[in-house]
Amino acid sequence: MSGGGALQPPEGSEPISSRAIAALRDRPTSGLSRRSLLRRSLGAAVAVATVEVLGGLLSSVWPAAARSTPRVRVGTLSDLIAMNAGLPVADGFPAYVPEARAFVMTIDPARGWQAGSDPTGEGTALNVRAVSQRCPHLGCRPNPCVEDFWFRCPCHQSRYDRLGIKAAGVTFGPAARGMDRFAVEVDRDGALTIDTSHVALGPLPVALGQPGLIPPRVPNGCGG
C-alpha cells in the first residue's frame, strides 16, 4: 500500500484490464448451473418413482402368476367332501380350493355333478359352480359362514348367498355385483376342472326374498 492509500497489485502480478474482466465474465462456467441441477434432480426423482411403481406392480402380479395355473383339477365331489372333512360340503356348503383361488359349491345338493363343460361358469347344467375368491368390491376374500352358508367379506361387509349371489341393499354391503365365476368342466369320471383363465362377471344383486337369492339358513349367522 502506498502513502496515497491506493491499492497496488501484489508484487509479480499484472493489473487486470477491463478486457480481461469482460473475457472472464463471458467465459462458460464449469460444472452445473442451478437450473440444470434442478432439472436433473427432478428427472432423477421421476425415474426413481417410476421404477418403484413398476417394481411394486411386478411384485404383486408376477408371484401370483407364477403360483397359479389356468386349469386346476379338483377331483370328484367325493374327493372334495373328503378334503373338507368337518364341513357340510355335501349339503352345498362352499369348499375352498386354494390352487384355483376359488370356492366350489354344488348347486343342488340332492344331485351329483353332471359331465359336461360350461365356459360361462353359471354351472346349472353341471350342477357345480366355481366362484373367484376376490370380492367384486375391492378384492378382499369373502368367507362362508357355516351357520347360515352365506359369504361375508371382512373388509366392507358385502354379503352373498352360498352360490355367490350378492344380496341387494345397503345392509348387505357395497359390492355392485355377485362373485365372479370361473369356467368349469366335469369329465366322464365326475372329476371337476376349473379354468381360471375364463372369468364371467357375477350377476347383479338380488333382493332378499326374491327368486334367485338363497335365503340364509339362520338369521344373523356368524354374528351378522
Side-chain angles (χ1 to χ4, degrees):
M1 181 179 291
S2 64
L7 292 175
Q8 298 295 327
E11 292 185 4
S13 63
E14 298 293 333
I16 300 177
S17 66
S18 60
R19 181 177 300 178
I21 292 174
L24 288 173
R25 183 175 61 244
D26 297 335
R27 187 176 65 184
T29 58
S30 60
L32 295 175
S33 67
R34 181 178 298 177
R35 179 176 298 178
S36 298
L37 180 61
L38 180 60
R39 287 178 178 175
R40 293 194 181 186
S41 298
L42 289 175
V46 171
V48 170
T50 302
V51 170
E52 289 180 348
V53 170
L54 291 176
L57 290 174
L58 289 175
S59 65
S60 62
V61 174
W62 178 257
R67 289 194 305 268
S68 63
T69 56
R71 293 177 61 85
V72 177
R73 190 178 188 278
V74 178
T76 66
L77 177 56
S78 298
D79 294 333
L80 191 67
I81 294 172
M83 288 185 294
N84 292 271
L87 294 176
V89 174
D91 297 328
F93 185 79
Y96 184 59
V97 180
E99 296 81 6
R101 296 177 178 81
F103 289 93
V104 172
M105 63 285 293
T106 301
I107 296 175
D108 180 1
R111 300 187 298 116
W113 296 347
Q114 305 299 310
S117 62
D118 187 347
T120 70
E122 202 278 335
T124 301
L126 279 61
N127 198 37
V128 60
R129 180 177 295 171
V131 299
S132 171
Q133 70 171 15
R134 292 175 55 85
C135 177
H137 181 224
L138 289 178
C140 298
R141 174 181 153 181
N143 292 299
C145 169
V146 75
E147 295 177 6
D148 62 11
F149 281 39
W150 269 38
F151 286 95
R152 284 168 175 75
C153 182
C155 293
H156 301 95
Q157 308 308 312
S158 290
R159 294 173 62 184
Y160 312 83
D161 71 7
R162 70 174 185 85
L163 297 182
I165 306 297
K166 170 70 171 56
V170 295
T171 306
F172 301 109
R177 65 177 189 273
M179 299 170 73
D180 297 336
R181 302 165 176 179
F182 292 129
V184 289
E185 177 182 333
V186 177
D187 63 22
R188 293 181 179 179
D189 297 325
L192 171 69
T193 296
I194 303 172
D195 187 351
T196 60
S197 66
H198 288 76
V199 184
L201 298 182
L204 293 175
V206 177
L208 187 64
Q210 295 298 311
L213 185 74
I214 301 174
R217 293 197 165 195
V218 297
N220 303 317
C222 295

